[in-house]
Structure formats: structure tokens, C-alpha cells
Amino acid sequence: MRLPIRNYLDAPLTIFIEPICHQFEVPPRGEAWVFLEDGHSHSIDIHPENWVSIWNDGIELAAVEVFAEHQFSTPER
């Protein structure tokens, strides 16, 4: 499963992958793709202090790719 996380903020966004506590920083206007193993449960918590926590119940470790800018356009408001 590929989970895109886009940072529309002007400040960095931190992603924590649990239970091992890997940490990744998404730059302002950047994007991260989190790859999680299919067939296992996962949970996502979004916190107002500019960080996201993802619990990975899969057997394999999650993989994360961070990009300096969005791969898709910004949504209209």
C-alpha cells in the first residue's frame, strides 16, 4: 500500500513510523510516500504540532520516500 502524505504548510512536517520509531522530515511544500505491507492493519494519527504518527502492524518495515515538492497539484480552496 502506498500512502502519500503532502505537507501544505510553510514549516517541516515530521512523520514517525511506529513501533520502531523511524523518523522522517517532509520539507515545506514537500511530500512523502509511505509504503506499508498489504494485508496488515495500520493506523494514522495526525497531530496539530506538525507531526504524523503511523503504526505499522506489518511484518516488513515500512519504506518512506521524501520529495522536496508535491508530485501532484495543490487542491483548490
Side-chain angles (χ1 to χ4, degrees), residues 21-32:
C21 198
H22 284 134
Q23 180 177 333
F24 301 90
E25 188 169 288
V26 182
R29 308 293 178 214
E31 178 176 30

Side-chain angles (χ1 to χ4, degrees), residues 12-26:
L13 175 70
T14 303
I15 300 174
F16 295 100
I17 307 290
E18 302 290 353
I20 298 178
C21 198
H22 284 134
Q23 180 177 333
F24 301 90
E25 188 169 288
V26 182

Side-chain angles (χ1 to χ4, degrees), residues 13 44 47-48 60 70:
L13 175 70
I44 302 169
H47 302 271
E60 296 180 16
H70 298 301

Side-chain angles (χ1 to χ4, degrees), residues 6-14 25-31 50 66-70:
R6 296 178 185 107
N7 183 6
Y8 295 107
L9 306 172
D10 292 325
L13 175 70
T14 303
E25 188 169 288
V26 182
R29 308 293 178 214
E31 178 176 30
N50 291 355
V66 177
F67 301 93
E69 58 186 45
H70 298 301

Side-chain angles (χ1 to χ4, degrees), residues 15-55:
I15 300 174
F16 295 100
I17 307 290
E18 302 290 353
I20 298 178
C21 198
H22 284 134
Q23 180 177 333
F24 301 90
E25 188 169 288
V26 182
R29 308 293 178 214
E31 178 176 30
W33 290 356
V34 180
F35 296 91
L36 301 167
E37 187 178 359
D38 288 331
H40 293 275
S41 61
H42 309 287
S43 64
I44 302 169
D45 295 313
I46 301 170
H47 302 271
E49 296 87 17
N50 291 355
W51 59 279
V52 175
S53 175
I54 300 173
W55 190 269

